[in-house]
Amino acid sequence: MDKITIPEHIAIIMDGNGRWAKKRGLPRVKGHYEGAKGVRGIVESCSDIGVKYLTLYAFSTENWKRPKAEIWALMALLKRFLKAELKTMMKNDIRFKTIGDIKKLPSDVRAEIKSVTKKTALNRGLTFILALNYGSRPEIVKAARAIAKECVEGKINPSSIDESVFEKHLDTCDIPDPDLLIRTSGEMRISNFLLWQLSYSEFYITDVLWPDFDKKELKKAVREYSKRERRFGETRKKAVKE
Ligand code: IPE
Ligand code: IPE
Ligand code: MG
């Protein structure tokens, strides 16, 4: 078998919890519960195969439009998840981070995020990033505002603004762009996720619903990624010889 190329950064839009529950005649919240349960296996698997960064889209800026009861159930699950996973993260040398505006999250959830972030800050294995109250457009607007402020204050010159200056003002400033984007449940859209950062990522969309997306499915996605030829605008490697 050909050698497998492991992506340095995998980003996942974890979608389909509601459909998973509906198929079984269960409340949507049960789907979220099962979905959260599966996260540990995916994180461990990424850590085992040598992925350096894993970003999971857990709550979008648009998800506040959902019924209040569902939102609070998601927040409660998040808090429980963080409490339960700290031990595994320490054991596996995993560093935890978030992107998105966490100020809008309930204070107990925020406290848990801060505690896990701090306790895992010096770990050197996989960086595990949760996108919470994350939207790519607000992230880009925030960056533009911060840069404008620095210009007004005379700290930077407008003519010196380039892609690297811009990137430094995004939530993902110290994280490389995703190599592989996975979306579960078959939807062909990115739903306001990492618009800037996904410019040259490989997309893998599967019909598998998030609670059913296990280690085997992850390996399938990585194998598929491995077969892709990333060209970044250049001529095909094979074509050069033609
Ligand atoms: C993904 O599952 C979880 C979140 C967006 C928080 P959904 O809840 O979107 O599931 P579907 O898309 O309704 O099946
Ligand atoms: C994207 O899923 C957000 C997360 C997975 C957190 P959604 O279910 O909210 O996306 P849309 O509404 O189908 O685009
Ligand atoms: Mg959905």
Side-chain angles (χ1 to χ4, degrees):
M1 209 172 86
D2 289 344
K3 207 175 155 281
I4 295 285
T5 313
I6 303 294
E8 185 185 17
H9 183 176
I10 299 182
I12 310 182
I13 302 176
M14 308 185 286
D15 199 14
N17 293 349
R19 276 163 279 179
W20 184 93
K22 193 168 176 225
K23 252 174 54 182
R24 290 164 177 76
L26 298 166
R28 290 178 59 83
V29 170
K30 180 71 177 135
H32 294 315
Y33 176 82
E34 286 302 318
K37 234 169 64 182
V39 170
R40 176 185 287 184
I42 298 301
V43 174
E44 272 187 341
S45 210
C46 283
S47 169
D48 288 349
I49 63 174
V51 172
K52 294 279 182 288
Y53 299 85
L54 170 69
T55 303
L56 300 183
Y57 202 6
F59 195 86
S60 75
T61 43
E62 286 73 30
N63 287 148
W64 296 109
K65 294 180 204 154
R66 294 189 178 199
K68 281 222 158 55
E70 182 173 344
I71 295 172
W72 298 125
L74 281 166
M75 294 300 154
L77 264 175
L78 175 60
K79 186 176 162 191
R80 208 164 72 179
F81 171 83
L82 290 168
K83 268 189 187 304
E85 292 314 300
L86 177 63
K87 228 167 105 188
T88 332
M89 289 189 220
M90 293 311 288
K91 192 183 91 199
N92 294 319
D93 203 21
I94 293 168
R95 181 166 67 125
F96 176 76
K97 281 172 85 78
T98 59
I99 53 170
D101 185 5
I102 62 161
K103 286 195 300 293
K104 300 231 171 75
L105 302 181
S107 60
D108 56 335
V109 176
R110 236 166 39 226
E112 208 52 53
I113 291 170
K114 285 198 178 131
S115 152
V116 177
T117 306
K118 202 167 157 214
K119 286 179 181 144
T120 62
L122 297 177
N123 289 348
R124 284 289 163 261
L126 172 78
T127 300
F128 168 37
I129 304 138
L130 271 187
L132 295 169
N133 188 27
Y134 176 84
S136 200
R137 286 183 172 183
E139 178 194 33
I140 289 170
V141 168
K142 191 175 74 182
R145 203 184 295 129
I147 294 170
K149 190 163 171 273
E150 286 172 33
C151 285
V152 169
E153 290 166 351
K155 290 183 185 148
I156 49 172
N157 194 319
S159 61
S160 68
I161 301 168
D162 58 12
E163 288 183 17
S164 87
V165 168
F166 199 83
E167 266 167 1
K168 285 197 187 81
H169 290 80
L170 294 172
D171 292 2
T172 51
C173 60
D174 48 359
I175 303 164
D177 289 343
D179 301 290
L180 171 63
L181 171 78
I182 298 172
R183 182 165 188 149
T184 56
S185 314
E187 238 63 76
M188 301 286 179
R189 52 178 176 258
I190 50 179
S191 307
N192 211 4
F193 189 44
L194 302 174
L195 304 181
W196 170 284
Q197 298 87 340
L198 293 172
S199 292
Y200 265 105
S201 309
E202 294 295 327
F203 283 28
Y204 176 86
I205 294 167
T206 171
D207 285 335
V208 174
L209 305 174
W210 175 252
D212 295 326
F213 190 87
D214 56 12
K215 295 181 179 191
K216 225 175 73 219
E217 293 297 335
L218 177 79
K219 295 214 168 111
K220 233 158 90 183
V222 171
R223 266 202 305 278
E224 166 69 31
Y225 166 81
S226 222
K227 288 191 221 146
R228 305 270 178 93
E229 189 193 29
R230 302 184 75 188
R231 292 203 285 274
F232 301 99
E234 292 174 42
T235 316
R236 277 176 65 204
K237 282 191 197 91
K238 221 174 125 230
V240 177
K241 292 179 217 138
E242 280 162 9

